[in-house]
Amino acid sequence: MGQGAFILGCEGLVLTSSEIEFFRSSNPWGFILFARNVADPEQLRTLTGTLRDAVGRDAPILIDQEGGRVQRMRAPYWREFLPPFEQVEKAHDAERALWLRGRLLAEDLHSVGIDVNCVPGLDVARPDTHPFLHNRCFSEDSMMVARMGRALVEGMAAGGVAPVMKHLPGHGRGTVDSHKGLPRVTASRAALDADFAPFMALNDLSMGMSAHIIMDAIDPDRPATQSPEAIRVIREEIGFQGLLMTDDISMGALQGTVRERGDVALKAGCDLVLHCNGNLAEMEEVAALGLMTDAAQARADWAADSRPAYVPIDTDALADEFLAS
């Protein structure tokens, strides 16, 4: 059976019978979890198992566990992390600290059945970057962003967790919170090269997420998520050939119904629509988008098959080293 061109959330701590039936029939490629789905390790392991049982396969399960305020799993059961920008600033050896951070993040996620983390954020921070994003970035230097992103990815891979780099082709110049409105970037095409550089440096990753942002120099009429020209830049100039998912299709930056938004994004060249709020009526709209194209399915299969294997390690020793870093 073909897989749906979407990743879906769920409403609560356990699946309802309606959700199970819906997921079984719609067959989403994967799932994404949020704080509303998280109580404790036993509950979370049960939920991830039930989600996979619903579709009858080892479906990817995603989460946003960045550290700082974007951290869906929190103490007392899981580790708390500084925002990425602050972590890099305080570290004596930033690359080692980010590798350790990635490995410890992966330990927490792997233990409850989550195998994809929506990091690294490769947006380049700027003094006027909107506060919703600024401290979620690694740095205001594009090459530092690339180095930190690679270190985090390699640490997570050692713990069996795959990355999703975001937000392609770059969100750092945004001065509006895209959860609430649509940012517009007026920088010249040449000036955008620094924003693209971290994504080019990590263009070998298997998964990426688009940005709900207009870049006038690329497409003044459409946000990147829904712009064929922006996606051409992602594929041809940045060189990313992996699975491209939208950012949350229900965010305030976009217009129209969720089905209309998703349809435009898929026609523009995104492979998958990401829908996060767990609203069953909206998810039914998204499911009406149907199956992935053959090309998207091939990229999705590669992304699923390339999820890294878990390698056991002395995490207590790593945690001690991380605290001292």
Side-chain angles (χ1 to χ4, degrees):
M1 178 182 179
Q3 293 164 12
F6 38 85
I7 297 167
L8 301 176
C10 56
E11 188 174 27
L13 300 175
V14 298
L15 293 189
T16 66
S17 58
S18 297
E19 286 175 324
I20 292 172
E21 181 179 350
F22 168 67
F23 292 147
R24 183 174 293 126
S25 62
S26 63
N27 196 25
W29 180 75
F31 301 96
I32 188 164
L33 300 180
F34 284 81
R36 66 177 184 271
N37 309 122
V38 175
D40 57 62
E42 183 178 359
Q43 169 270 326
L44 199 46
R45 278 190 293 271
T46 299
L47 178 59
T48 56
T50 307
L51 286 166
R52 290 187 170 111
D53 288 345
V55 293
R57 56 186 165 81
D58 184 23
I61 296 181
L62 293 67
I63 200 165
D64 292 291
Q65 192 76 349
E66 297 179 8
R69 60 188 171 78
V70 182
Q71 185 167 327
R72 316 307 185 190
M73 298 159 53
R74 310 207 74 115
Y77 299 109
W78 298 284
R79 296 170 179 88
E80 297 276 349
F81 293 90
L82 291 171
F85 198 93
E86 294 175 27
Q87 185 80 68
V88 172
E89 280 194 318
K90 76 173 281 287
H92 305 299
D93 179 345
E95 284 186 63
R96 179 61 178 169
L98 266 291
W99 189 96
L100 292 166
R101 178 185 175 109
R103 182 60 187 81
L104 294 169
L105 278 166
E107 189 71 19
D108 286 348
L109 300 182
H110 178 269
S111 69
V112 292
I114 296 170
D115 55 10
V116 180
N117 193 10
C118 295
V119 299
L122 298 182
D123 304 309
V124 180
R126 299 184 181 279
D128 60 348
T129 300
H130 192 281
F132 102 92
L133 183 64
H134 189 280
N135 72 353
R136 296 167 58 194
C137 304
F138 293 121
S139 174
E140 294 186 0
D141 176 82
S142 60
M143 289 300 96
M144 176 65 85
V145 171
R147 287 171 49 214
M148 296 304 100
R150 180 67 71 181
L152 185 72
V153 164
E154 292 179 352
M156 289 199 308
V161 173
V164 179
M165 65 176 178
K166 60 187 185 186
H167 305 84
L168 285 152
H171 208 304
R173 293 179 190 267
T175 57
V176 172
D177 182 350
S178 55
H179 294 87
K180 301 176 181 179
L182 180 58
R184 179 179 291 272
V185 172
T186 59
S188 70
R189 183 64 178 78
L192 294 175
D193 287 348
D195 298 344
F196 300 163
F199 297 101
M200 294 175 69
L202 277 79
N203 65 9
D204 59 307
L205 298 188
S206 63
M207 287 177 275
M209 181 184 293
S210 69
H212 298 336
I213 190 169
I214 287 181
M215 295 178 170
D216 284 348
I218 295 176
D219 185 339
D221 300 317
R222 305 171 191 85
T225 294
Q226 299 178 321
S227 167
E229 179 60 16
I231 293 173
R232 185 200 66 78
V233 169
I234 291 168
R235 294 300 193 193
E236 297 180 12
E237 298 185 33
I238 290 175
F240 174 66
Q241 299 303 315
L243 183 69
L244 181 63
M245 65 189 73
T246 72
D247 202 346
D248 182 8
I249 207 69
S250 61
M251 286 165 59
L254 304 180
Q255 295 183 340
T257 67
V258 291
R259 181 176 178 179
E260 290 167 344
R261 298 173 183 195
D263 184 58
V264 175
L266 294 176
K267 287 177 178 175
C270 288
D271 296 316
L272 289 172
V273 169
L274 176 65
H275 183 272
C276 297
N277 66 26
N279 179 287
L280 185 56
E282 285 193 11
M283 291 194 293
E284 289 170 345
E285 285 190 56
V286 172
L289 295 168
L291 304 180
M292 281 182 276
T293 65
D294 290 345
Q297 185 69 64
R299 287 188 284 265
D301 290 344
W302 174 57
D305 293 345
S306 63
R307 284 173 290 180
Y310 173 80
V311 178
I313 201 167
D314 183 349
T315 51
D316 288 339
L318 291 186
D320 289 342
E321 182 184 353
F322 180 65
L323 287 174
S325 68

